[in-house]
CSV table of all heavy atoms in Angstrom, one decimal:
chain,number,residue,atom,x,y,z
A,1,HIS,N,0.8,-1.2,0.0
A,1,HIS,CA,0.0,0.0,0.0
A,1,HIS,C,0.9,1.3,0.0
A,1,HIS,O,0.6,2.2,-0.8
A,1,HIS,CB,-0.9,0.0,1.2
A,1,HIS,CG,-1.8,1.1,1.3
A,1,HIS,ND1,-1.7,2.1,2.2
A,1,HIS,CD2,-2.9,1.5,0.5
A,1,HIS,CE1,-2.7,3.0,2.1
A,1,HIS,NE2,-3.4,2.7,1.0
A,2,LYS,N,1.9,1.3,0.8
A,2,LYS,CA,2.8,2.4,0.9
A,2,LYS,C,3.4,2.7,-0.5
A,2,LYS,O,3.6,3.9,-0.8
A,2,LYS,CB,3.9,2.1,1.9
A,2,LYS,CG,5.0,3.2,2.1
A,2,LYS,CD,4.7,4.1,3.2
A,2,LYS,CE,5.9,5.0,3.5
A,2,LYS,NZ,5.4,6.2,4.2
A,3,LEU,N,3.7,1.7,-1.2
A,3,LEU,CA,4.3,1.8,-2.6
A,3,LEU,C,3.3,2.2,-3.6
A,3,LEU,O,3.7,2.4,-4.8
A,3,LEU,CB,5.1,0.5,-3.0
A,3,LEU,CG,6.3,0.2,-2.2
A,3,LEU,CD1,6.8,-1.2,-2.5
A,3,LEU,CD2,7.4,1.3,-2.5
A,4,GLY,N,2.0,2.2,-3.2
A,4,GLY,CA,1.0,2.6,-4.2
A,4,GLY,C,0.5,1.5,-5.1
A,4,GLY,O,-0.1,1.8,-6.1
A,5,LEU,N,0.9,0.3,-4.8
A,5,LEU,CA,0.5,-0.8,-5.7
A,5,LEU,C,-1.0,-1.3,-5.4
A,5,LEU,O,-1.5,-2.0,-6.2
A,5,LEU,CB,1.4,-2.0,-5.5
A,5,LEU,CG,2.9,-1.7,-5.9
A,5,LEU,CD1,3.8,-2.9,-5.7
A,5,LEU,CD2,2.9,-1.3,-7.4
A,6,ILE,N,-1.5,-0.9,-4.3
A,6,ILE,CA,-2.9,-1.2,-4.0
A,6,ILE,C,-3.5,0.1,-3.4
A,6,ILE,O,-2.8,0.9,-2.8
A,6,ILE,CB,-3.2,-2.4,-3.0
A,6,ILE,CG1,-2.5,-2.2,-1.7
A,6,ILE,CG2,-2.8,-3.7,-3.7
A,6,ILE,CD1,-2.8,-3.2,-0.6
A,7,THR,N,-4.8,0.2,-3.6
A,7,THR,CA,-5.5,1.5,-3.2
A,7,THR,C,-6.0,1.4,-1.7
A,7,THR,O,-5.9,0.3,-1.1
A,7,THR,CB,-6.8,1.7,-4.1
A,7,THR,OG1,-7.7,0.6,-3.8
A,7,THR,CG2,-6.4,1.7,-5.6
A,8,ASP,N,-6.4,2.5,-1.2
A,8,ASP,CA,-7.0,2.6,0.1
A,8,ASP,C,-8.2,1.6,0.2
A,8,ASP,O,-8.3,1.0,1.3
A,8,ASP,CB,-7.5,4.0,0.5
A,8,ASP,CG,-6.3,5.0,0.6
A,8,ASP,OD1,-5.2,4.6,0.7
A,8,ASP,OD2,-6.6,6.2,0.5
A,9,GLU,N,-9.0,1.6,-0.8
A,9,GLU,CA,-10.2,0.7,-0.8
A,9,GLU,C,-9.8,-0.7,-0.7
A,9,GLU,O,-10.4,-1.6,0.0
A,9,GLU,CB,-11.1,1.0,-2.0
A,9,GLU,CG,-11.7,2.4,-2.0
A,9,GLU,CD,-10.8,3.5,-2.4
A,9,GLU,OE1,-9.8,3.2,-3.2
A,9,GLU,OE2,-11.1,4.6,-2.0
A,10,GLU,N,-8.7,-1.1,-1.5
A,10,GLU,CA,-8.3,-2.5,-1.6
A,10,GLU,C,-7.7,-2.9,-0.2
A,10,GLU,O,-7.9,-4.1,0.2
A,10,GLU,CB,-7.3,-2.7,-2.7
A,10,GLU,CG,-7.9,-2.6,-4.1
A,10,GLU,CD,-7.0,-2.5,-5.2
A,10,GLU,OE1,-5.8,-2.0,-5.0
A,10,GLU,OE2,-7.3,-3.0,-6.3
A,11,VAL,N,-7.0,-2.0,0.4
A,11,VAL,CA,-6.3,-2.4,1.7
A,11,VAL,C,-7.4,-2.6,2.8
A,11,VAL,O,-7.1,-3.4,3.7
A,11,VAL,CB,-5.3,-1.3,2.1
A,11,VAL,CG1,-5.9,-0.2,3.0
A,11,VAL,CG2,-4.1,-1.9,2.8
A,12,GLU,N,-8.5,-2.1,2.6
A,12,GLU,CA,-9.6,-2.3,3.6
A,12,GLU,C,-10.5,-3.4,3.2
A,12,GLU,O,-11.4,-3.8,4.0
A,12,GLU,CB,-10.5,-1.0,3.7
A,12,GLU,CG,-9.7,0.2,4.3
A,12,GLU,CD,-9.2,0.0,5.7
A,12,GLU,OE1,-9.9,-0.7,6.5
A,12,GLU,OE2,-8.1,0.5,6.0
A,13,ASN,N,-10.4,-4.0,2.1
A,13,ASN,CA,-11.2,-5.0,1.6
A,13,ASN,C,-10.8,-6.4,2.1
A,13,ASN,O,-9.7,-6.6,2.4
A,13,ASN,CB,-11.2,-5.1,0.0
A,13,ASN,CG,-12.2,-5.9,-0.6
A,13,ASN,OD1,-12.3,-7.1,-0.5
A,13,ASN,ND2,-13.1,-5.2,-1.3
A,14,THR,N,-11.8,-7.3,2.3
A,14,THR,CA,-11.5,-8.6,2.8
A,14,THR,C,-10.7,-9.4,1.9
A,14,THR,O,-10.1,-10.4,2.3
A,14,THR,CB,-12.8,-9.4,3.1
A,14,THR,OG1,-13.6,-9.5,2.0
A,14,THR,CG2,-13.6,-8.7,4.3
A,15,LYS,N,-10.6,-9.0,0.6
A,15,LYS,CA,-9.8,-9.7,-0.4
A,15,LYS,C,-8.4,-9.1,-0.6
A,15,LYS,O,-7.8,-9.2,-1.6
A,15,LYS,CB,-10.5,-9.8,-1.7
A,15,LYS,CG,-11.8,-10.6,-1.7
A,15,LYS,CD,-12.4,-10.7,-3.0
A,15,LYS,CE,-13.7,-11.6,-2.9
A,15,LYS,NZ,-14.2,-11.9,-4.2
A,16,VAL,N,-8.0,-8.4,0.4
A,16,VAL,CA,-6.7,-7.6,0.3
A,16,VAL,C,-5.5,-8.5,-0.1
A,16,VAL,O,-4.7,-8.1,-0.8
A,16,VAL,CB,-6.4,-6.8,1.6
A,16,VAL,CG1,-6.2,-7.7,2.8
A,16,VAL,CG2,-5.3,-5.8,1.3
A,17,GLN,N,-5.5,-9.7,0.5
A,17,GLN,CA,-4.4,-10.6,0.1
A,17,GLN,C,-4.4,-10.9,-1.4
A,17,GLN,O,-3.3,-10.9,-2.0
A,17,GLN,CB,-4.5,-12.0,0.9
A,17,GLN,CG,-4.2,-11.8,2.3
A,17,GLN,CD,-4.3,-13.2,3.0
A,17,GLN,OE1,-5.3,-13.9,2.9
A,17,GLN,NE2,-3.3,-13.5,3.8
A,18,ASP,N,-5.5,-11.1,-2.0
A,18,ASP,CA,-5.6,-11.3,-3.4
A,18,ASP,C,-5.1,-10.1,-4.2
A,18,ASP,O,-4.4,-10.3,-5.2
A,18,ASP,CB,-7.0,-11.7,-3.8
A,18,ASP,CG,-7.5,-13.0,-3.3
A,18,ASP,OD1,-6.7,-13.9,-3.0
A,18,ASP,OD2,-8.7,-13.1,-3.0
A,19,TYR,N,-5.5,-8.9,-3.7
A,19,TYR,CA,-5.1,-7.7,-4.4
A,19,TYR,C,-3.5,-7.5,-4.4
A,19,TYR,O,-2.9,-7.1,-5.3
A,19,TYR,CB,-5.7,-6.5,-3.8
A,19,TYR,CG,-7.2,-6.4,-4.0
A,19,TYR,CD1,-8.1,-6.2,-2.9
A,19,TYR,CD2,-7.8,-6.7,-5.2
A,19,TYR,CE1,-9.5,-6.1,-3.1
A,19,TYR,CE2,-9.2,-6.7,-5.4
A,19,TYR,CZ,-10.0,-6.4,-4.3
A,19,TYR,OH,-11.4,-6.3,-4.5
A,20,VAL,N,-3.0,-7.9,-3.2
A,20,VAL,CA,-1.5,-7.7,-3.0
A,20,VAL,C,-0.8,-8.7,-4.0
A,20,VAL,O,0.1,-8.4,-4.6
A,20,VAL,CB,-1.1,-7.9,-1.6
A,20,VAL,CG1,0.4,-8.1,-1.4
A,20,VAL,CG2,-1.6,-6.8,-0.7
A,21,ILE,N,-1.3,-10.0,-4.0
A,21,ILE,CA,-0.6,-11.0,-4.8
A,21,ILE,C,-0.7,-10.5,-6.3
A,21,ILE,O,0.3,-10.6,-7.0
A,21,ILE,CB,-1.3,-12.3,-4.6
A,21,ILE,CG1,-1.0,-12.9,-3.2
A,21,ILE,CG2,-0.9,-13.3,-5.7
A,21,ILE,CD1,-1.9,-14.0,-2.8
A,22,LYS,N,-1.8,-10.1,-6.7
A,22,LYS,CA,-2.0,-9.7,-8.1
A,22,LYS,C,-1.1,-8.5,-8.4
A,22,LYS,O,-0.5,-8.4,-9.5
A,22,LYS,CB,-3.5,-9.4,-8.4
A,22,LYS,CG,-3.8,-9.0,-9.8
A,22,LYS,CD,-5.2,-8.8,-10.1
A,22,LYS,CE,-5.4,-8.3,-11.5
A,22,LYS,NZ,-6.8,-8.0,-11.8
A,23,ALA,N,-1.1,-7.5,-7.5
A,23,ALA,CA,-0.3,-6.3,-7.7
A,23,ALA,C,1.2,-6.6,-7.9
A,23,ALA,O,1.8,-6.0,-8.8
A,23,ALA,CB,-0.5,-5.3,-6.5
A,24,TRP,N,1.7,-7.5,-7.1
A,24,TRP,CA,3.1,-7.9,-7.3
A,24,TRP,C,3.4,-8.7,-8.5
A,24,TRP,O,4.4,-8.5,-9.2
A,24,TRP,CB,3.7,-8.6,-6.0
A,24,TRP,CG,3.9,-7.6,-5.0
A,24,TRP,CD1,3.2,-7.3,-3.9
A,24,TRP,CD2,5.0,-6.6,-5.0
A,24,TRP,NE1,3.7,-6.3,-3.2
A,24,TRP,CE2,4.8,-5.8,-3.8
A,24,TRP,CE3,6.1,-6.4,-5.8
A,24,TRP,CZ2,5.7,-4.8,-3.5
A,24,TRP,CZ3,7.0,-5.4,-5.5
A,24,TRP,CH2,6.8,-4.6,-4.3
A,25,ILE,N,2.5,-9.5,-8.9
A,25,ILE,CA,2.6,-10.3,-10.2
A,25,ILE,C,2.7,-9.3,-11.3
A,25,ILE,O,3.5,-9.4,-12.2
A,25,ILE,CB,1.5,-11.3,-10.3
A,25,ILE,CG1,1.7,-12.5,-9.3
A,25,ILE,CG2,1.5,-11.9,-11.8
A,25,ILE,CD1,0.5,-13.4,-9.2
């Protein structure tokens, strides 16, 4: 989140792990 790879909304979402995985890929 600090690096801007996920949004504020995504960090608060229950699927945040999926968003992080996808963002790094």
Side-chain angles (χ1 to χ4, degrees):
H1 182 250
K2 176 101 172 155
L3 291 169
L5 296 177
I6 59 172
T7 66
D8 293 342
E9 293 78 25
E10 288 170 330
V11 90
E12 297 296 328
N13 193 293
T14 58
K15 294 184 179 189
V16 65
Q17 289 181 311
D18 295 329
Y19 295 132
V20 169
I21 291 165
K22 184 179 177 183
W24 282 104
I25 290 169

